[in-house]
Amino acid sequence: MKLTLNGIKDRQDWEHAGIGLPSYDAGALADRTRTAPVWVHFGVGNIFRIFIGGIADQLISEGLMDRGIIGAETFDYDVVEQIYRPFDNLILSITLHGDGTTDRKVLGSVTEAVKAQYSDAEQWNRLKEVFRAPGLQMISFTLTEKGYALTRADGTYFDFIKADIENGPEKASSAMAVVTAMLLERYRGGKFPLALVSMDNCSQNGQKFRNSVLEIAGEWKKRGFVEDGFLHYIQDESQVSFPWTMIDKITPRPSEKIAKELEEAGVEAMQPVITSGKTYIAPFGNAEGPQYLVVEDSFPNGRPALEKAGVYMTDRDTVNKSEKMKVTACLNPIHTALGPYGCVLGYELFSDEMKDPDMLELARRVGYVEGMEVVPDPGILSPKAFLDEVINERFPNPYLGDTTQRLSVDVSQGIGIRFGETIKSYMAKFGDAARLNGIPVAIAGWFRYLLAIDEEGRPFELAPDPMVPELQEQMAGIVFGEPDSLTDQLRAILSNENIFAVDLYKAGIGEKIEEIFREEIAGPGAVRRTIKKYLGC
């Protein structure tokens, strides 16, 4: 069985294998979408494929939408060549339930994948054509937090952003510059309205997205690439809106075990690939069942009936509270606390780490104790019920195959959001954050992880993170087994508000983090002893 438009015509084989097929004509859907697009998505990786693609599939299946999604990729073009085109853009969705059962379904909702690459004239012009379409309603994004960043920790532009600013719209390469260039195309084609919807785990993601687009456009204006009218167009949220969102669905990297099971069931070529851009991806996506998407209902050119597919459509304040609930208290902080420690303690699977009483106590302390003290209540979701589901059902699910390495990717880009907001809330409520213990233990654990030496003194490989070289340079001289080798190496990092969103010494926990870290580098077994000491395990 081949995962192609022709391959799924033999429905009997697929159904015999327990794999559902689209109830609609995926080829006809692709034709309609190509000529009159409604929805484009940037960042065509795993969470987009199974979550956003699944939302669109449901709407199309129920007759609530008659166009699919056009995917656009600004970074890893191999994904388009290796995962989309050979499979006619079809996606095999695998939902992993906690009892070991799975739901398998082919999604035909993604109808095209475009490389947003200015050096490929055909693809670049196709993207321009899409953005000129008057009926285009929304552009959604799953880029990860770092996709919106223009500057380093010291506030200077990344080199690739500097190049985008100097080279102008026709040679845009970064996601933010590409999107701004395409907005310019839409402006020149008729000034049609549009919603740009970040679905990434960033605090106030819509505002962060808007700021980045406006900054690039402003720099282009200084250099004569764009006119004042374009700035007015993208600044007017009745024309170009940037809705805020909260998204939540655990989507681990594709499982080799599932690939083997699919191939044994008769589906060809299911093995994951690692692209030249280091993306780990497969023709299928696997994820948990629970999912949440809360979206500010601000769409100046209309939108699909997202609420019919379980999306919470609401106001900005409710989105902000939902996002803070999840990202700063009930889920992401626990991932960020336990991921690095899991690597240090030798856990590969996160579900195994969740069986560790000390790690479970750290999760409880960060979530139930410290997070719940200041968590916003969005009303549409109960923070306590949400956290209960996370701790008791979602994180322990052994069939997800989620890894501690994945949870440690790009920690530097999110640690300020995931801990900094709670720290600031404690400062506002109590004057300082000195009463915190779980979060200081978590931050100290991240520094311990950055030494790339496990609990037994063995080296291990760190997960990808753009700031690792800079951070390790600042930590130079710290030696495992020599607590006194820690002098003032952490001070510049702990006081860096670009990393933590607050000076942790002013918050009253900088020295505490230093002391925890000093104890954790004492030698083999020191991490476990230190955690027990500070959390009273």
Side-chain angles (χ1 to χ4, degrees):
M1 295 165 356
K2 292 184 178 180
L3 185 64
T4 61
L5 290 175
N6 278 331
I8 63 173
K9 287 179 179 178
D10 191 350
R11 302 183 69 89
Q12 187 173 351
D13 287 347
W14 291 88
E15 290 166 1
H16 181 73
I19 301 171
L21 294 176
S23 59
Y24 48 88
D25 184 333
L29 178 76
D31 291 340
R32 289 195 300 273
T33 304
R34 183 169 186 86
T35 56
V38 168
W39 186 350
V40 174
H41 186 95
F42 279 78
V44 293
N46 292 317
I47 193 166
F48 160 66
R49 289 163 61 76
I50 196 166
F51 190 0
I52 312 307
I55 289 171
D57 177 78
Q58 181 179 338
L59 293 175
I60 296 163
S61 298
E62 296 176 2
L64 299 169
M65 193 165 80
D66 65 355
R67 315 290 161 80
I69 305 176
I70 296 173
E73 180 59 35
T74 62
F75 170 66
D76 195 340
Y77 308 121
D78 284 355
V79 172
V80 175
E81 295 287 355
Q82 297 180 33
I83 296 299
Y84 281 85
R85 291 181 180 167
F87 301 96
D88 292 339
N89 306 305
L90 296 174
I91 301 162
L92 184 45
S93 166
I94 312 293
T95 301
L96 306 165
H97 300 294
D99 62 0
T101 60
T102 62
D103 293 329
R104 305 174 177 185
K105 184 180 182 183
V106 174
L107 310 179
S109 52
V110 180
T111 59
E112 185 180 357
V114 180
K115 293 184 284 187
Q117 184 178 23
Y118 73 83
S119 59
D120 187 328
E122 181 183 355
Q123 291 285 282
W124 192 245
N125 288 331
R126 171 56 183 156
L127 197 58
K128 287 182 175 182
E129 179 184 29
V130 170
F131 268 77
R132 285 196 300 267
L136 188 64
Q137 295 178 332
M138 65 181 290
I139 316 294
S140 52
F141 299 78
T142 48
L143 306 171
T144 74
E145 292 148 320
K146 64 183 178 183
Y148 304 88
L150 305 183
T151 61
R152 303 182 183 88
D154 63 4
T156 60
Y157 285 126
F158 291 117
D159 290 342
F160 62 90
I161 295 296
K162 202 184 308 179
D164 279 340
I165 288 171
E166 297 298 334
N167 294 335
E170 284 306 314
K171 292 187 177 180
S173 61
S174 67
M176 293 299 97
V178 167
V179 171
T180 309
M182 291 303 126
L183 285 174
L184 178 62
E185 194 67 26
R186 190 165 181 80
Y187 166 76
R188 289 171 174 170
K191 304 180 184 177
F192 303 115
L194 191 64
L196 284 82
V197 190
S198 168
M199 295 179 177
D200 280 295
N201 285 318
C202 308
S203 183
Q204 302 180 359
N205 51 14
Q207 187 62 51
K208 186 171 185 178
F209 187 11
R210 184 173 189 266
N211 290 346
S212 294
V213 168
L214 293 180
E215 185 165 351
I216 287 175
E219 293 294 335
W220 282 349
K221 171 63 174 61
K222 292 177 187 175
R223 289 159 179 78
F225 291 119
V226 302
E227 60 189 63
D228 283 332
F230 174 61
L231 296 186
H232 296 152
Y233 167 68
I234 61 174
Q235 288 168 348
D236 181 356
E237 291 211 64
S238 69
Q239 284 286 97
V240 179
S241 68
F242 294 81
W244 296 16
T245 70
M246 183 277 273
I247 189 170
D248 180 30
K249 186 178 182 73
I250 298 174
T251 309
R253 71 185 206 172
S255 162
E256 293 180 5
K257 178 175 179 289
I258 291 172
K260 182 180 178 183
E261 291 172 352
L262 290 170
E263 290 183 341
E264 288 173 350
V267 188
E268 299 178 18
M270 286 292 105
Q271 287 300 320
V273 300
I274 301 176
T275 68
S276 61
K278 306 301 182 186
T279 302
Y280 192 99
I281 196 166
F284 65 92
N286 46 239
E288 64 173 347
Q291 60 186 39
Y292 300 89
L293 181 58
V294 185
V295 179
E296 178 188 359
D297 200 353
S298 177
F299 290 77
N301 205 29
R303 61 171 175 79
L306 299 171
E307 70 279 3
K308 302 292 186 181
V311 179
Y312 295 88
M313 304 303 299
T314 184
D315 58 80
R316 179 171 292 188
D317 183 59
T318 303
V319 173
N320 193 34
K321 288 178 179 176
S322 300
E323 183 270 336
K324 284 190 173 181
M325 177 200 76
K326 182 237 175 181
V327 174
T328 72
C330 294
L331 191 147
N332 296 85
I334 300 170
H335 271 166
T336 300
L338 269 62
Y341 269 123
C343 295
V344 172
L345 294 174
Y347 289 108
E348 179 180 355
L349 292 179
F350 182 48
S351 57
D352 288 339
E353 186 183 5
M354 284 297 293
K355 299 174 187 174
D356 185 319
D358 296 336
M359 292 295 97
L360 198 56
E361 176 58 24
L362 178 57
R364 190 191 72 82
R365 191 69 62 93
V366 169
Y368 284 109
V369 178
E370 297 176 353
M372 281 293 163
E373 179 71 36
V374 293
V375 67
D377 186 346
I380 60 172
L381 298 167
S382 160
K384 173 66 163 54
F386 186 91
L387 183 55
D388 286 344
E389 182 184 55
V390 162
I391 296 293
N392 300 322
E393 299 176 35
R394 298 173 65 186
F395 285 179
N397 183 346
Y399 301 100
L400 277 178
D402 208 3
T403 65
T404 56
Q405 271 275 323
R406 186 189 78 87
L407 302 183
S408 303
V409 171
D410 296 338
V411 168
S412 71
Q413 306 300 292
I415 199 166
I417 297 164
R418 294 167 185 183
F419 297 139
E421 294 303 310
T422 293
I423 292 167
K424 288 191 289 185
S425 294
Y426 269 72
M427 293 172 70
K429 186 172 182 177
F430 302 111
D432 60 38
R435 66 189 62 209
L436 294 175
N437 275 321
I439 288 176
V441 166
I443 294 172
W446 178 50
F447 286 115
R448 177 63 181 79
Y449 157 86
L450 288 171
L451 291 183
I453 297 172
D454 71 12
E455 175 78 319
E456 302 305 318
R458 299 179 296 249
F460 66 89
E461 185 176 351
L462 299 181
D465 186 317
M467 284 193 66
V468 161
E470 179 182 344
L471 291 165
Q472 289 187 324
E473 183 178 345
Q474 289 180 284
M475 293 173 66
I478 299 174
V479 180
F480 175 75
E482 299 181 20
D484 290 342
S485 65
L486 173 65
T487 54
D488 62 350
Q489 293 98 325
L490 301 188
R491 180 163 289 274
I493 306 172
L494 291 170
S495 61
N496 190 333
E497 296 186 23
N498 288 319
I499 297 176
F500 292 104
V502 63
D503 181 332
L504 296 183
Y505 294 98
K506 293 179 181 176
I509 58 173
E511 288 84 358
K512 180 184 287 188
I513 293 167
E514 286 187 13
E515 187 54 38
I516 295 168
F517 175 71
R518 180 177 287 107
E519 294 181 35
E520 288 187 339
I521 65 172
V527 169
R528 180 79 66 180
R529 290 195 302 272
T530 305
I531 291 170
K532 287 180 179 294
K533 172 183 173 180
Y534 281 89
L535 298 184
C537 300

